Every structure is written in structure tokens, then in C-alpha cells.
Amino acid sequence: MPKMENSTAISIIGAGKVGSTLALLLHRAGYRIVSVISRRKSSAKKLARLVGCRNYSDSISDIAPAAGIIQIAAPDDELSTIAEELAGCPSLDFSAVAAFHTSGSLTSDELLPLKRKEATTFSLHPIQTFSKSSTLSRQAAMMKNGFYGFEGPSAGLKIARRLVRALNGSLVRIPKEEKILYHIACVFASNYLTSLLGTVEDLAVRVGGDLRLSHFKPLVRTSMENAFLQSPAMALTGPVARGSSRIVELHLDVLQKTDKQIAELYRQIGLKSLSLAAAGKSLSPHAVKKLKRMLESHRSEK
Ligand SMILES: NC(=O)c1ccc[n+]([C@@H]2O[C@H](COP(=O)([O-])OP(=O)(O)OC[C@H]3O[C@@H](n4cnc5c(N)ncnc54)[C@H](OP(=O)(O)O)[C@@H]3O)[C@@H](O)[C@H]2O)c1
């Protein structure tokens, strides 16, 4: 456990979407932002003004010596270089420093140069999406009662718990060896769900008439709520869950003629739906077998 004399003094590296949101929330929670460093001085200055910090720079070596905690929210590929640069800063008392990055896919090993200098290192990943199109105040509001994936040693856990409490969130421990699997789950929960809505939008355009993506909003919301309230297996409805092979075949026939990529998606997600329906025991073994054969073979038959 580091000495952490400056337990609420924090330096921010990376004044982008995630870095700025967390910095703002920590500032509001009473943390003292002692330096803001970003690739461009203009980004650092903008965030520094917002969080009442006078020390901003585009150079890691300008980090405040008082930094107790260092938050690194830079692109994944930059993390190890930043850690190397930080490890070369003569002004830092590393045994009193806790450094974390916010990547969802990479582990605290990216910060090894700092760990070797006896700093406490961990990763703390907000389980949320931060889009370019969103404003900082909306992003900050979105993080209320948010979850943070933590990976690292127990000394880091104590510091992370304090940070997450200040952020009004909850901490979720992630085993280091499964960090990448955790990130794949995040990709499905966010990015691929968004891509599925892109597919809904494509189909709405093909249907024409008055139909727009926004008309699916109540359907999407209720499906999500049901899955969280019950379980995905319990919440599943539709032709696969009902064992309606006639309708599934009709869908596949139409898609094969209109859009082969969507047909392939339909088949793959249909197979996942089938395993959910089978787990929920709502279908007879015969219905499961028939649908499985149809979803697996439809492409090669056509
Ligand atoms: N976006 C999401 O939905 C999301 C969600 C959870 C976690 N994350 C993770 O959070 C981290 C940051 O992502 P982000 O979405 O906030 O990215 P971002 O908006 O692109 O911000 C990255 C920031 O890092 C700065 N930067 C780049 N290279 C740097 C360097 N060598 N030294 C110092 N600063 C540097 C950039 O500087 P300038 O602005 O000055 O050019 C930029 O402000 C990544 O690890 C990402 O995987 C992202």
C-alpha cells in the first residue's frame, strides 16, 4: 500500500472523452486535480480550466510532484509509452503514487515500468460508452450509479474503491487472465448492439412508408428491460422462441434474396436465440432440432 499522503491529489493524463468525464466527476467529489497533461496543450488547457487546475501541459515531465493518483485515459497503444515516460520522471515519489489506466481490454501490465518503481498500478474501466457526439455534461450524468471494471492487486483495490465511491459508482472485480473476455462482453453489450440497431435502420429504409428507426424504440427498450428484469432466456420472444419454423424459413428466404449479410447475421443470432430458448425449456426437442437444421443449412441449400 503506497503512503498516499496526497490521497485526494490526482493528475490527469489524456484529456479526451473518458479522461475529462472522470476528471470532472472527481473534481466535483472533492479531489484536487494537480496537473492535466494531454497530447495537445489546447485539450489540456480546456480541461484544466474546467477542473480548476493551473498546471497543464503537453509534456509528461510537467506532472505535478504532488500527484498521489495518476489517471491515464489515453489511447490503448499509447499506455506503455506513457508509463515509460512517467517512470523516467525524477520529481515523482513512486512509492507514494497509484497509477491506473481506463482501458477495457488491456491489463495493469501496461503500467509495468511504474510498478517496477514501486508505484501501485491497476486498471479501472468505466463500463459505459463515451461517444464523440455526446457532451461532457451528458457523459458525466450517464456515469451516475455506473459500474467500473477493476483489475489489479489488493493495494490498488483499496484506492480504486475510494475513487469509485467518490464517482457514485460500484466496482466490479475482473480476473486479470479474463480481462480480454470481459472486453468482448462489453463489445457485444455496446458496439454490436449499436450495429444491430444499424441493421434495424437498414431494414426500416427497405420497408419504406413511414417506418423509421425511432419507431422501434419502445420495442428495444422493453426487450432490454425484460432481459435485465428476468433473464435473456426468460425474456426471449419471437418465432425462434415459439418454435415457428415456417416463419423462420420465410424470413431466411426473403433475406437471402435481399441482403446476404443480414441473412448471415439472422442465422447466427437465430442459433444463439435457439440455445436460449432450449435452455428456457420452452421448446420441444423436436422443434429445436428442426430449427437448428434450418438455421445451419439454409445458406448452403440456396
Ligand atoms: N470511448 C469509450 O467509449 C471508452 C469507454 C471506456 C474506456 N475507454 C478507454 O479509455 C481510454 C481513452 O479513451 P477515450 O475514448 O477517452 O479516447 P479519446 O477521446 O480519443 O481521448 C484520448 C486522449 O488521450 C490524449 N492522448 C493521446 N496520446 C497521448 C499521449 N501520448 N500522452 C498524453 N495524452 C495523449 C488525446 O489527446 P489530445 O486530445 O490532446 O489530442 C486525447 O485527449 C482508452 O483506453 C479507451 O479504451 C473508452
Side-chain angles (χ1 to χ4, degrees), residues 1-295:
M1 179 78 174
K3 287 177 262 169
M4 298 298 298
E5 280 146 15
N6 282 305
S7 61
T8 60
I10 180 161
S11 277
I12 306 296
I13 300 182
K17 299 183 288 294
V18 173
S20 300
T21 307
L22 298 188
L24 182 64
L25 290 172
L26 289 169
H27 166 66
R28 285 181 188 162
Y31 275 76
R32 205 158 43 85
I33 314 291
V34 291
S35 39
V36 178
I37 293 160
S38 208
R39 186 179 41 190
R40 287 172 300 158
K41 210 169 182 172
S42 56
S43 314
K45 184 178 179 181
K46 194 171 159 200
L47 176 60
R49 280 201 170 151
L50 217 61
V51 295
C53 171
R54 288 205 194 133
N55 179 17
Y56 59 87
S57 174
D58 55 5
S59 167
I60 301 274
S61 59
D62 288 332
I63 191 156
I69 300 172
I70 303 175
Q71 169 189 289
I72 310 168
D76 291 2
D77 291 344
E78 298 287 326
L79 295 178
S80 56
T81 314
I82 291 172
E84 287 282 359
E85 282 184 48
L86 275 172
C89 286
S91 59
L92 288 172
D93 171 8
F94 291 99
S95 62
V97 160
F100 71 95
H101 69 68
T102 59
S103 167
S105 49
L106 301 175
T107 70
S108 52
D109 282 352
E110 294 302 297
L111 307 180
L112 220 53
L114 292 165
K115 192 179 174 188
R116 286 199 188 107
K117 293 242 165 176
E118 290 183 15
T120 299
T121 55
F122 56 95
S123 62
L124 190 65
H125 170 248
I127 310 180
Q128 184 51 279
T129 178
F130 297 76
S131 147
K132 267 197 289 263
S133 58
S134 190
T135 62
L136 183 56
S137 61
R138 182 161 177 266
Q139 280 168 192
M142 260 169 15
M143 282 318 295
K144 194 161 186 251
N145 302 322
F147 294 103
Y148 294 81
F150 166 89
E151 167 279 318
S154 53
L157 182 60
K158 285 186 188 153
I159 297 160
R161 278 202 200 284
R162 231 179 19 236
L163 282 168
V164 170
R165 218 175 300 127
L167 291 162
N168 271 321
S170 304
L171 183 143
V172 184
R173 280 180 292 168
I174 309 295
K176 185 178 184 179
E177 60 280 11
E178 302 301 349
K179 181 91 194 263
I180 201 73
L181 208 55
Y182 155 79
H183 192 239
I184 293 170
C186 294
V187 166
F188 270 100
S190 173
N191 320 138
Y192 285 8
L193 212 54
T194 306
S195 305
L196 276 185
L197 290 179
T199 307
V200 175
E201 189 177 36
D202 290 348
L203 291 168
V205 169
R206 278 181 204 269
V207 172
D210 291 334
L211 196 64
R212 303 279 177 274
L213 177 64
S214 58
H215 296 132
F216 293 89
K217 204 166 167 180
L219 176 61
V220 171
R221 283 211 166 135
T222 312
S223 306
M224 297 284 143
E225 279 164 16
N226 288 349
F228 286 112
L229 220 74
Q230 308 158 7
S231 69
M234 293 279 289
L236 190 72
T237 58
V240 171
R242 287 192 291 271
S244 185
S245 47
R246 186 173 156 227
I247 304 299
V248 170
E249 186 156 43
L250 266 173
H251 287 176
L252 286 166
D253 279 343
V254 168
L255 281 175
Q256 205 58 35
K257 286 182 212 123
T258 52
D259 192 314
K260 291 208 164 38
Q261 192 189 37
I262 299 181
E264 185 57 25
L265 256 177
Y266 185 101
R267 281 180 354 89
Q268 293 299 339
I269 300 176
L271 284 165
K272 178 64 200 172
S273 303
L274 190 57
S275 41
L276 280 179
K281 303 210 186 315
S282 61
L283 293 180
S284 69
H286 173 72
V288 172
K289 211 169 160 186
K290 192 169 174 192
L291 275 167
K292 189 165 189 276
R293 206 179 317 121
M294 188 179 286
L295 286 161

